[in-house]
Amino acid sequence: GAVVSQHPSRVICKSGTSVKIECRSLDFQATTMFWYRQFPKQSLMLMATSNEGSKATYEQGVEKDKFLINHASLTLSTLTVTSAHPEDSSFYICSASHGQVIYEQYFGPGTRLTVT
Amino acid sequence: KNEVEQSPQNLTAQEGEFITINCSYSVGISALHWLQQHPGGGIVSLFMLSSGKKKHGRLIATINIQEKHSSLHITASHPRDSAVYICAALGNEKLTFGTGTRLTIIP
């Protein structure tokens, strides 16, 4: 099956710093990538949808200036958490779909962010 | 009220038991996913279905579009099946996730 990787798997950063998370589709071209956030014992919540070469579409309540998403190529999307605060500590998961088949999403392993 | 509801929230069973996890949704959907999330967080997509029934190994997923209900069954459950199982409904090209069912299989 299709493989999606994320890097890093875990990151600890200090409050006020920025951290970048990468999401890569390893064996297919991902025209659409999704970024989710999951707090402990809660559902995944969609943060934004990004299509290659265009601006990301953010969900209501997600600050686009704080969570910068770049989908510069068909195999890579990045999420940058700017000026991180402890409340941004969460599990961030990306997924990717190829072609026009939005409903076939392949999930990355996730990145656990801890802001101290 | 969540648009996607799962039951039970927690399920503990003995190895070998037949497991059923239920998912009800209130939105119109084009497809429904069943996902497995192991400790550590990685998510594996188990099934994507829009009608009927699918089977993969010991896992079976069914969906009833009219009743807006889906079930995930595990036959001959094993401790390695212990995980959180999440259903996610796809509508308007977005996935809406249930809160998950934490399954623990005791040897």
Side-chain angles (χ1 to χ4, degrees):
Chain A
V3 179
V4 175
S5 70
Q6 279 185 243
H7 178 80
S9 57
R10 290 178 178 270
V11 58
I12 300 173
C13 70
K14 291 187 177 180
S15 185
T17 62
S18 296
V19 61
K20 180 186 288 188
I21 302 169
E22 292 185 349
C23 177
R24 293 183 185 271
S25 57
L26 299 185
D27 53 359
F28 67 100
Q29 293 186 327
T31 52
T32 305
M33 286 186 168
F34 305 85
W35 286 97
Y36 299 91
R37 181 168 52 184
Q38 184 182 37
F39 292 108
K41 299 188 178 180
Q42 294 188 23
S43 303
L44 282 76
M45 297 296 295
L46 179 65
M47 298 175 67
T49 303
S50 73
N51 293 295
E52 184 266 337
S54 60
K55 289 184 179 180
T57 302
Y58 290 81
E59 294 300 297
Q60 192 172 15
V62 178
E63 300 173 58
K64 62 181 180 182
D65 294 330
K66 179 171 182 62
F67 299 99
L68 302 178
I69 292 173
N70 183 282
H71 191 168
S73 77
L74 286 171
T75 59
L76 173 65
S77 176
T78 60
L79 168 68
T80 301
V81 183
T82 63
S83 188
H85 287 96
E87 57 264 31
D88 298 324
S89 299
S90 185
F91 192 62
Y92 292 87
I93 303 169
C94 73
S95 71
S97 65
H98 53 76
Q100 298 302 315
V101 188
I102 296 293
Y103 56 80
E104 287 214 57
Q105 291 190 29
Y106 303 95
F107 289 84
T111 296
R112 187 162 301 284
L113 170 64
T114 303
V115 184
T116 60
Chain B
K1 185 179 187 303
N2 290 335
E3 293 178 326
V4 179
E5 298 269 355
Q6 283 185 240
S7 64
Q9 287 188 320
N10 294 282
L11 178 57
T12 300
Q14 293 286 341
E15 182 174 358
E17 285 190 42
F18 181 81
I19 302 299
T20 296
I21 299 171
N22 296 300
C23 176
S24 297
Y25 52 92
S26 57
V27 296
I29 69 167
S30 54
L32 186 132
H33 287 251
W34 279 101
L35 310 170
Q36 181 190 56
Q37 186 172 31
H38 277 286
I43 289 179
V44 174
S45 181
L46 299 175
F47 294 104
M48 189 278 299
L49 67 166
S50 54
S51 65
K53 174 179 173 179
K54 286 190 175 181
K55 185 176 187 294
H56 181 69
R58 295 181 294 108
L59 302 177
I60 303 166
T62 64
I63 189 168
N64 185 315
I65 298 296
Q66 287 75 24
E67 295 185 4
K68 295 189 174 180
H69 181 268
S70 177
S71 293
L72 176 69
H73 305 285
I74 305 174
T75 61
S77 59
H78 190 277
R80 64 174 174 266
D81 297 326
S82 299
V84 176
Y85 292 84
I86 303 168
C87 71
L90 180 70
N92 295 324
E93 298 188 341
K94 292 179 183 177
L95 283 175
T96 301
F97 295 84
T99 52
T101 295
R102 184 173 299 276
L103 174 65
T104 303
I105 303 298
I106 300 171

